[in-house]
Amino acid sequence: MRTRLISVGERMPAWVAEGFAEYRKRLSRELPLELIEVPLGNRGKHRDPIRATADEGAAVIAAISADTHVVALEGRGKIWSSEQLAEQLGGWRMQGRDLAILIGGPDGHADAVLKRANQCWSLGPLTLPHMLVRLVVAEQLYRATTILAGHPYHRA
């Protein structure tokens, strides 16, 4: 199973990039994780944020292959505990399909992206910087793989 984290926005701060790289390395055997960054849509004075979000959505959808299971990070999505995420990951593995986890831009996901998603996942009611979400997702995926493997990393 190929796993892609598709994220709107480019150039993570160094501390986020280092943390993400650490979890990506830890995941390399159990769940290889590829980061795909798509550019932000044009925003600013006299620019339409709806159009910017639509442009981001088109780029995200273009990065997803047809048979991929898609999970969009969305504030109104399901909140999973680490154990529930591990159950989800086990199910995704059993499907035998690639997995894409999507992080939207500053205005969220375009409607087309949410329609393409098979599931929506919420990290909870907190508002987090989108670059930090990359690190949180990578750590939680690592935690889920250790739960499935019976590794003592997760101590609940």
Side-chain angles (χ1 to χ4, degrees):
M1 178 173 87
R2 197 167 54 179
T3 305
R4 291 186 170 144
L5 182 61
I6 303 172
S7 182
V8 175
E10 301 169 301
R11 292 172 280 165
M12 291 183 277
W15 63 273
V16 172
E18 289 170 15
F20 183 84
E22 175 63 27
Y23 286 107
R24 184 179 181 176
K25 182 177 81 178
R26 291 181 187 194
L27 283 163
S28 63
R29 285 186 42 232
E30 295 295 321
L31 187 72
L33 180 62
E34 177 184 2
L35 174 65
I36 298 173
E37 297 176 311
V38 300
L40 283 170
N42 286 331
R43 287 178 173 74
K45 199 172 191 176
H46 307 296
R47 300 218 188 248
D48 182 8
I50 295 170
R51 180 70 203 163
T53 302
D55 291 345
E56 294 162 358
V60 166
I61 289 171
I64 302 169
S65 61
D67 193 37
T68 298
H69 184 86
V70 177
V71 179
L73 283 158
E74 160 64 34
R76 296 174 302 247
K78 298 271 186 189
I79 297 173
W80 297 321
S81 67
S82 296
E83 294 85 359
Q84 289 168 324
L85 177 60
E87 288 175 25
Q88 292 291 324
L89 180 58
W92 298 331
R93 284 178 168 171
M94 294 300 291
Q95 290 178 8
R97 297 165 56 189
D98 288 342
L99 172 66
I101 299 174
L102 313 179
I103 301 172
D107 297 305
H109 288 293
D111 288 340
V113 171
L114 295 176
K115 286 179 183 157
R116 173 60 180 91
N118 300 99
Q119 293 176 282
C120 289
W121 172 25
S122 173
L123 296 179
L126 296 173
T127 301
L128 299 170
H130 290 229
M131 294 295 176
L132 181 58
V133 169
R134 297 174 183 198
L135 179 54
V136 171
V137 168
E139 190 281 335
Q140 285 298 300
L141 289 173
Y142 175 70
R143 184 175 297 275
T145 62
T146 63
I147 290 170
L148 291 173
H151 187 278
Y153 177 81
H154 179 70
R155 295 180 180 103

